[in-house]
Amino acid sequence: MSKILILGAGISGHVAASHLRRKLSKEHEVVVVSPNSNYQWIPSNIWVGIGRMKSKEILFPLAPLYKKKGIGYKQAKAISFFPEGDKNQPKPYVLSEYVAGDKKGQQEKITYDYLINATGPKLNFEATEGLIPGENRTYSVCTYSHADHAWHGLKALIDEMKTGKKVKILIGTGHGSSTCQGAAFEYILNVEQELRRHKVREMAEITWISNEHKLGDFGMDGMLLSYGSMTLKSYEMVEMIFEDRGIKWILGAGVNKIEDGIAHYENLEGSYKTETYDFAMLIPAFSGHGFKAFDKNENDITEKLFKGFMIVDADYTPKPYEEWSVKDWPETYQNPTYQNIFAPGIAFAPPHAISKPRKSKNGTVISPAPPRTGMPSGITAKLVADNIIDTIKSGKESLSHKGSLGNMGAACIASAGYGLTQGSGVSITTYPIVPDYEKYPNTQGRKLGKTFGEIGLAGHWLKLALHYAFIYKAKMRPFWWLIPE
Amino acid sequence: MTQRISKYQRFKMMNPIIQFFKFIYLSLKIMFVVASGHGGTRVEKK
């Protein structure tokens, strides 16, 4: 009998738990540890943030589902890792602390045979002074509660605009090394459309602020894509959309301080500037959770497990941008020191950025971190689960399932406005996610045709269809496993 | 504001009938891109 411990119940952790439970017999134990009581379908937070969807439509409680499916669940947060156990506990374990219920505040050594670290990122708002969701007129859509809050702020602003007040709206990234530009991109387009729906668009000046060097970088170094019968660069497509919607932009901006209605930022030229606003939604930097790890003698071995995020089978050798290779990226998400530990989704430490790193003239890093959200999180979690299943069933280590971001396609269906007949979406697929300049030297590392963009109502329907399909899948309804990650 | 998307393009982008077929096409195409497999990069497939 084996015990598989999964830390985190987001897209990655939940996908791993679902597949493990489905494919392993009940003699094997699957346990999820998460401080969150609900599963949330994060991509739909955008619609919560504009008041077109209630947060209850994008979440459901985990405990009843896990109980029904025979998955153990502890509402607790991981504190430290003991991959060799300790003097009193011979099995490896994770020290965790309950965050709710009768055991709140109690700590427990949760043992495991296999560990899947799917803790995702820490939303590092502290990295930017004054960037606190709901304060200083700044908001976030990173969680459903943040998105709810953002909608209340936006609604109050729309009411003021209806009385004749002119306002400034600032949306984008709130730190020089933020990622997840896609979420901010979706939100700015949705806000713009909502203002038109409320007939107050002319009362607002909307500005995109981002650490990207060019529009459409999205932390992926931009892309060359097929668009209809043309081949466009992603910045050309995003520029077309922004100009058409009357959205201004500030690029190469590392926001470093927020005051009430004022964003302070440094640009790549090294100038320190400010931008005023009445409503801002700024994505924070992501960071690791700061976990510690100890060996059986309780010596600190954190550097064997973590490099900010968790160390996996990537090539972390520092090298200049020109020498980066797609082969540096991990394939199995297995920790090289402790081979029963895996980190799929956002929890693994990337070997390097995807976008070319840039610094301001003052030395401040102003370039996007690599995005590893949504679909790749699900795919990497499933392949980790499949490798563990094969290993348990065969009795010997099996790593036959591989999935490098350099050999994996991703779809980003970015909402550009909500509404069954008035909605819009920007559908972009990228293959591969990490550009492979050896295979595709003439098309910026990606395969044309498989890397394409489309704009229109169908994109909105697609995103809505994915919303319902993935919540159905997450609830593990009949034949859920037929829906791909 | 600069009109970068022509009225005809906008009509095509927002026409429910055209977009219905586009929805089917996109669903299949995206399925092809994302579900057509993935693998490593360090060893060539045999």
Side-chain angles (χ1 to χ4, degrees), chain A residues 241-256:
Chain A
I241 296 167
F242 277 7
E243 280 196 346
D244 194 69
R245 299 274 192 109
I247 295 170
K248 298 176 179 178
W249 59 86
I250 300 167
L251 296 174
V255 174
N256 49 37

Side-chain angles (χ1 to χ4, degrees), chain B residues 2-3 6 11 14-15 21 23 27 30 35-36 41 44-45:
Chain B
T2 310
Q3 189 181 330
S6 69
F11 166 77
M14 301 307 290
N15 181 288
F21 291 104
F23 173 74
S27 304
I30 288 170
S36 61
T41 53
E44 288 297 318
K45 279 182 185 172

Side-chain angles (χ1 to χ4, degrees), chain B residues 1 10 16 18 20 26 30 32 34 44:
Chain B
M1 194 175 293
R10 201 179 304 277
I18 297 170
F20 173 74
L26 278 176
I30 288 170
F32 171 69
V34 303
E44 288 297 318

Side-chain angles (χ1 to χ4, degrees), chain B residues 5-32:
Chain B
I5 299 173
S6 69
K7 282 187 177 172
Y8 177 61
Q9 279 178 312
R10 201 179 304 277
F11 166 77
K12 286 199 294 183
M13 284 175 183
M14 301 307 290
N15 181 288
I17 297 165
I18 297 170
Q19 290 297 309
F20 173 74
F21 291 104
K22 184 72 90 179
F23 173 74
I24 305 288
Y25 168 74
L26 278 176
S27 304
L28 294 173
K29 191 164 180 180
I30 288 170
M31 188 73 85
F32 171 69

